[in-house]
Amino acid sequence: MAYHTKKNGVVELQSLNFPKRAQFFVSAVPEEKQGDWADHLRGAAKMLGEKYRLKVGLSGIIEGSLPIGGLSSSASVIICFLSALCKVNGIHLEPMEMILTAKAAENSNHHA
């Protein structure tokens, strides 16, 4: 994943594997699922935002060579995204907390 900081709090994600671009405010993640590849990432941002104050967004491009639909591929993308979001916001997550947040985001069928 390649990314750069966006001070205005916008998260802008593009996947080289999927056509649609995802865009949302890190402080106001949409409640409802959009039914696209970025749902897990929005869920992860929401969960992180419930514990920590997120002010800084990022603009990133994700490319995955892992097979789509595999549990491990979405988990690794979520962890990659979470660590980038933590880095730009100066948050330090313990590895276990990172894994649990990613797992919860991956398993959630809704963002609540």
Side-chain angles (χ1 to χ4, degrees):
M1 176 174 176
Y3 68 92
H4 63 85
T5 306
K6 283 181 84 72
K7 294 278 185 211
N8 61 0
V10 169
V11 171
E12 196 176 75
L13 295 168
Q14 199 154 0
S15 167
L16 299 183
N17 305 82
F18 300 101
K20 212 173 137 225
R21 206 172 54 138
Q23 201 170 15
F24 57 90
F25 275 101
V26 78
S27 56
V29 183
E31 286 293 334
E32 64 287 340
K33 288 182 89 104
Q34 314 283 304
D36 64 11
W37 62 271
D39 270 341
H40 288 325
L41 302 183
R42 277 187 286 268
K46 195 162 183 57
M47 284 175 189
L48 190 65
E50 282 164 8
K51 285 190 191 170
Y52 303 94
R53 199 155 158 249
L54 300 176
K55 296 191 295 286
V56 183
L58 57 87
S59 179
I61 294 178
I62 298 168
E63 186 192 12
S65 54
L66 290 160
I68 303 305
L71 207 69
S72 54
S73 64
S74 57
S76 59
V77 168
I78 294 167
I79 286 173
C80 194
F81 169 67
L82 274 175
S83 53
L85 207 50
C86 286
K87 193 169 263 182
V88 298
N89 280 282
I91 298 165
H92 301 284
L93 282 192
E94 291 300 312
M96 201 60 212
E97 194 180 354
M98 178 82 76
I99 290 163
L100 291 174
T101 306
K103 199 149 182 47
E106 188 179 48
N107 294 338
S108 73
N109 292 324
H110 54 82
H111 295 174

